Amino acid sequence: MTRLIALWRKETLALLRDRHGLAALFAMPIIFILVMTMALHDAFMPGAAIDVGYAIVDLDHSPHSQSLVRRLNKAGSFRHVASADNPDTARQAIRDGRYALVLVLPKGFGERLLAPGGADGQPTEPLGLFVDPTLNPALQLAFRTQTSAALGTLRADELTRQAGKLFGLPVAANAPDREWPDEIVTVAVQNDRSIRPPSSVQQNVPAWLVFAMFFVVIPISAILIVERQQGTLSRLAAMGLPFRLVLLGKLLPFFIVNQIQAVLMVGVGLFVVPLFGGEALVMPQGMGLVHWWLVSMAVSLAAVACALLVASLARTTQQATIVGGVGNILMGAIGGIMVPKFMMPAAMQTLAEFSPMAWGLQGFHTVMLRHDGFAAILPVLLQLLAFAVAALAAAIWLNHRQSA
Amino acid sequence: MLRIDGVSFRYRDAGTPALDGVTLDIPAGGVYGLLGPNGAGKTTLISILAGLQTATGGRITFNGRPLAEARAAEPRAIALVPQDYAFYPMLTVAENLDFFGGALGLERRERQAQIESAIAFARLEQVTRKPAEQLSGGLRRRLNLAIGLLGRPRLLLLDEPTVGVDPQSRRFLLDAIAGLPASGTSVIYTSHYMEEVEAICQRVAIVDQGKVLSEGALDALLRCDESVVELELGAELPAELAARHAAVGEGGLHYRLKLATPAALPRLLDDLAAAGCAVQQLKVGRENLEHLFMRLTRRSLRD
């Protein structure tokens, strides 16, 4: 035990003096969580407002044209930023990049609302839509469809009103626009057993926590490689210290580091993200919290074992930083850390199954979003533990081979 | 104390063995010099003795017990001081000593006592709170040595312990190492510096290409024919005297002469005085270790 305590103390002191390692372990994921949660805030909310503004040039100034403007505003998906006086200034404003969309309501719009051919035999002047050509075509189409829909309800109202008038029914002179119930309900159909997709903070906190846990590769390899290059490992072996004890001496301190990361990241999700206007993280309660911690422990063991394997494979600190750093980024990219798995096409989702980071994230989501019990997380726990054991065995074998 | 009997070792995928039937008898209570050019097999032998490698052939006993058994029974009996600075640069001197003491399994009280004694031995009192990476080369060597002594080993394996230090630190280290046998620690010392080995070793072995070329007490190895004279003169050796004594130039005004009989030495000195050649150094009957080493290992470059 004296030996293990000495090893743990040494690792802790060495880590506390490794500023780069500490930054990679603690500062980086906090920054990622804050930035990515804010950046992806809307991407995780179906039906959220689209941040594209439109202007209206009303050349008609009729009650009907004003009613259409109100109906468009009510729809709310696009932002009504301004009203312009004439089409030419509106065109110029698009060129200057001030608006992305301009809807022009021609003169006589109200009069000809229900007379497409025109009462006087003249063809009806169409509504004009000026668009910024760089605007996503899907958004152009969406605005066009929304305008058509608003136009449809306006016509229906007008038709009802005029029909009422025809049949002698009393009609208020300034009847309010009728509210048409939104009959379309959006349902996100997921291929992952239709779980509700995570919110931005629920995706980003566990994702970057898993990512940060795997970054123990930087400090672990920095110390192990110095130990090997400087002959310290030989000295320890000559002192009769088995290599597996040296590894055990690294497992516990970095396991604790991972758990501190977990507490910190959850703290950021609970208390700091709301300060920046984001949604607060919702953590499971009771046994759910225990299950959450079990996933956190399994991810940590996999991360530390993976780091020990990388440190055993690499000859120099530079190699370890490149192999470990790039390897982590790749694992994160395919494992749904950077781009959530549910947003990936099916082929990429299959590929994600090969990333231990994806197993960890899946475990966290199972606990946090589906509130499932121990049986549901058992497969990922076993996957992570098997990975940890395999990586540790490979690290021990490599070190024996190198010293033979 | 240590008996190495016909030990062989071959690295994986190596064409020739690193050690080929090495036999040495290393007595307790002295400093034993292990000499050889680069690649001779010194570090391999040290690694086997330190338990880092296992000999592929032969037998090693430590105080009459097979080495592995002796190491298992007394893990602290043999200590290694590697050539590299085998400690943690980010830890202070005191923290390094405390860690290695703990790694040896020393309990708190004993560890504290050993650390104090190692600090005093290596004169590290002024730098105990300094990170190891800020130490000078000499202080790093002293810390490296101090760590090796924490377990009070009975045999200390020193691999090139004075590389990269200034003359003062080297002198301090040599004096300290020479004093170790008196406190119960025998030493095996490998070095490229012949004068160091000559100064502190009582016995030496010269190895090359995995074989022992010569082994024994230093005095006996260096003793040579009394008719060979080594001279350092104040002026060039006259041609007539050089021809008469089959002189060989050793660089500068150093010469090696062969006398017909040991009794011819007084006449040679008279002749040199008559020729106006002052004798600045004279060595008779004792070979220089470097000469012996070069003669045995040949002069060719090894890497």
Side-chain angles (χ1 to χ4, degrees):
Chain A
M1 204 57 203
T2 309
R3 293 174 150 202
L4 259 183
I5 291 171
L7 285 164
W8 291 337
R9 200 174 121 77
K10 175 261 295 179
E11 290 295 333
T12 310
L13 286 172
L15 177 66
L16 288 175
R17 285 167 200 172
D18 177 7
R19 271 187 238 158
H20 295 113
L22 288 176
L25 291 179
F26 296 106
M28 179 196 72
I30 290 178
I31 292 168
F32 267 125
I33 286 176
L34 289 176
V35 171
M36 300 308 281
T37 303
M38 295 301 124
L40 296 175
H41 185 252
D42 293 339
F44 287 83
M45 285 190 177
I50 298 160
D51 192 23
V52 173
Y54 67 93
I56 287 182
V57 180
D58 184 2
L59 301 173
D60 193 37
H61 298 292
S62 65
H64 293 111
S65 66
Q66 283 157 12
S67 173
L68 182 72
V69 171
R70 279 197 301 276
R71 283 166 201 271
L72 276 175
N73 284 352
K74 245 184 228 168
S77 297
F78 292 84
R79 228 166 2 101
H80 183 194
V81 287
S83 297
D85 293 335
N86 71 66
D88 294 333
T89 47
R91 269 176 209 274
Q92 191 54 44
I94 289 185
R95 279 191 207 105
D96 298 344
R98 277 181 285 147
Y99 317 141
L101 295 156
V102 174
L103 181 68
V104 182
L105 306 178
K107 200 164 171 44
F109 165 78
E111 272 174 32
R112 291 157 185 264
L113 189 65
L114 295 178
D120 52 3
Q122 294 297 314
T124 306
E125 201 181 330
L127 273 72
L129 178 62
F130 303 157
V131 298
D132 178 346
T134 60
L135 182 68
N136 181 344
L139 290 178
Q140 295 180 22
L141 187 63
F143 184 72
R144 207 187 153 90
T145 311
Q146 198 169 19
T147 309
S148 294
L151 207 52
T153 58
L154 179 64
R155 277 205 182 102
D157 274 359
E158 181 59 16
L159 199 62
T160 317
R161 199 177 62 84
Q162 290 199 3
K165 216 193 272 175
L166 199 65
F167 294 112
L169 298 173
V171 174
N174 284 320
D177 299 331
R178 275 181 66 181
E179 288 288 348
W180 293 85
D182 183 7
E183 289 165 358
I184 305 166
V185 177
T186 307
V187 178
V189 180
Q190 302 301 320
N191 60 359
D192 198 0
R193 283 186 275 168
S194 281
I195 59 165
R196 197 166 68 85
S199 69
S200 183
V201 71
Q202 281 171 315
Q203 159 69 20
N204 282 304
V205 168
W208 294 107
L209 170 62
V210 171
F211 191 67
M213 280 184 168
F214 274 82
F215 259 88
V216 290
V217 69
I218 303 291
I220 284 187
S221 55
I223 301 172
L224 190 63
I225 288 167
V226 164
E227 286 177 320
R228 194 166 52 224
Q229 282 179 341
Q230 301 219 8
T232 318
L233 280 184
S234 300
R235 175 171 240 164
L236 292 174
M239 287 177 168
L241 206 69
F243 186 66
R244 55 180 186 280
L245 202 64
V246 175
L247 290 189
L248 201 60
K250 292 177 188 296
L251 261 176
L252 186 80
F254 284 97
F255 178 79
I256 291 173
V257 163
N258 281 160
Q259 301 319 307
I260 296 173
Q261 284 179 308
V263 172
L264 258 179
M265 301 311 139
V266 167
V268 168
L270 287 173
F271 307 112
V272 185
V273 169
L275 293 181
F276 287 82
E279 180 190 342
L281 182 73
V282 179
M283 284 294 283
Q285 305 294 320
M287 280 310 285
L289 203 56
V290 175
H291 295 150
W292 194 94
W293 192 51
L294 284 175
V295 176
S296 163
M297 287 202 298
V299 173
S300 171
L301 288 175
V304 178
C306 178
L308 289 170
L309 177 61
V310 170
S312 305
L313 279 170
R315 304 277 87 217
T316 62
T317 314
Q318 286 86 342
Q319 272 183 13
T321 311
I322 291 168
V323 174
V326 174
N328 274 358
I329 290 167
L330 277 178
M331 267 202 284
I334 64 168
I337 301 295
M338 289 155 194
V339 178
K341 202 175 120 186
F342 69 87
M343 285 186 180
M344 293 179 178
M348 288 302 291
Q349 293 202 13
T350 311
L351 188 63
E353 290 302 323
F354 292 97
S355 167
M357 288 193 190
W359 309 338
L361 190 54
Q362 192 188 329
F364 281 126
H365 280 168
T366 304
V367 180
M368 294 169 75
L369 302 176
R370 286 163 53 187
H371 307 289
D372 282 350
F374 180 72
I377 56 166
L378 190 61
V380 290
L381 291 184
L382 290 176
Q383 256 177 314
L384 288 165
L385 289 179
F387 175 78
V389 170
L392 264 185
I396 293 175
W397 178 76
L398 271 171
N399 279 278
H400 271 296
R401 194 167 165 269
Q402 280 155 6
S403 62
Chain B
M1 175 177 63
L2 188 71
R3 171 93 195 141
I4 300 167
D5 201 0
V7 162
S8 301
F9 184 83
R10 189 191 290 265
Y11 284 100
R12 204 158 24 99
D13 306 329
T16 53
L19 294 176
D20 187 7
V22 170
T23 298
L24 294 171
D25 196 358
I26 300 169
V31 181
Y32 191 96
L34 195 56
L35 294 176
N38 289 338
K42 307 182 298 285
T43 301
T44 306
L45 183 58
I46 293 277
S47 298
I48 292 173
L49 296 178
L52 302 176
Q53 307 277 10
T54 308
T56 45
R59 182 181 155 80
I60 303 174
T61 54
F62 183 68
N63 290 332
R65 298 166 92 172
L67 182 68
E69 193 186 308
R71 287 185 56 84
E74 287 180 89
R76 296 176 212 150
I78 301 177
L80 169 71
V81 177
Q83 189 175 341
D84 301 305
Y85 299 124
F87 45 77
Y88 294 90
M90 67 294 269
L91 302 191
T92 65
V93 169
E95 286 164 350
N96 265 298
L97 288 166
D98 189 52
F99 164 66
F100 284 104
L104 278 168
L106 299 175
E107 293 304 331
R108 182 184 283 271
R109 192 170 293 177
E110 188 188 1
R111 184 163 79 229
Q112 214 45 52
Q114 291 302 330
I115 290 171
E116 276 169 26
S117 127
I119 287 174
F121 174 85
R123 303 252 186 93
L124 293 167
E125 296 89 347
Q126 304 301 315
V127 292
T128 51
R129 286 160 175 267
K130 216 172 180 182
E133 61 199 345
Q134 291 176 13
L135 298 179
S136 65
L139 280 165
R140 287 180 195 212
R141 286 281 165 214
R142 279 149 65 181
L143 174 59
N144 217 22
L145 178 62
I147 294 168
L149 291 169
L150 284 172
R152 283 188 166 275
R154 288 203 275 152
L155 177 62
L156 187 66
L157 308 168
L158 293 174
D159 195 2
E160 308 266 356
T162 59
V163 172
V165 302
D166 59 47
Q168 285 80 3
S169 287
R170 168 168 297 156
R171 175 45 56 195
F172 171 79
L173 281 165
L174 289 177
D175 288 345
I177 293 164
L180 282 172
S183 56
T185 299
S186 305
V187 177
I188 294 182
Y189 187 95
T190 78
S191 177
H192 283 122
Y193 300 112
M194 302 297 156
E195 69 279 17
E196 285 184 3
V197 175
E198 236 179 312
I200 66 169
C201 296
Q202 292 82 44
R203 290 181 75 85
V204 296
I206 296 175
V207 292
D208 194 14
Q209 293 172 339
K211 291 191 165 83
V212 177
L213 303 180
S214 184
E215 196 266 341
L218 189 63
D219 285 339
L221 287 180
L222 297 182
R223 194 174 306 130
C224 65
D225 185 356
E226 287 187 0
S227 58
V228 175
V229 178
E230 277 180 47
L231 286 173
E232 188 188 346
L233 301 177
E236 206 172 317
L237 181 69
E240 188 264 328
L241 281 177
R244 193 197 310 159
H245 297 292
V248 179
E250 301 260 295
L253 294 171
H254 284 80
Y255 301 93
R256 192 177 160 92
L257 283 67
K258 180 99 177 127
L259 301 175
T261 64
L265 183 61
R267 193 186 154 200
L268 170 65
L269 295 176
D270 288 343
D271 290 347
L272 284 169
C277 276
V279 176
Q280 290 177 339
Q281 206 176 51
L282 169 72
K283 214 183 244 181
V284 186
R286 184 176 165 97
E287 198 172 9
N288 180 310
L289 182 59
E290 190 163 346
H291 284 148
L292 174 70
F293 181 79
M294 286 299 193
R295 187 158 56 76
L296 291 172
T297 60
R298 314 277 186 260
R299 283 170 179 263
S300 59
L301 286 175
R302 299 311 168 92
D303 50 22

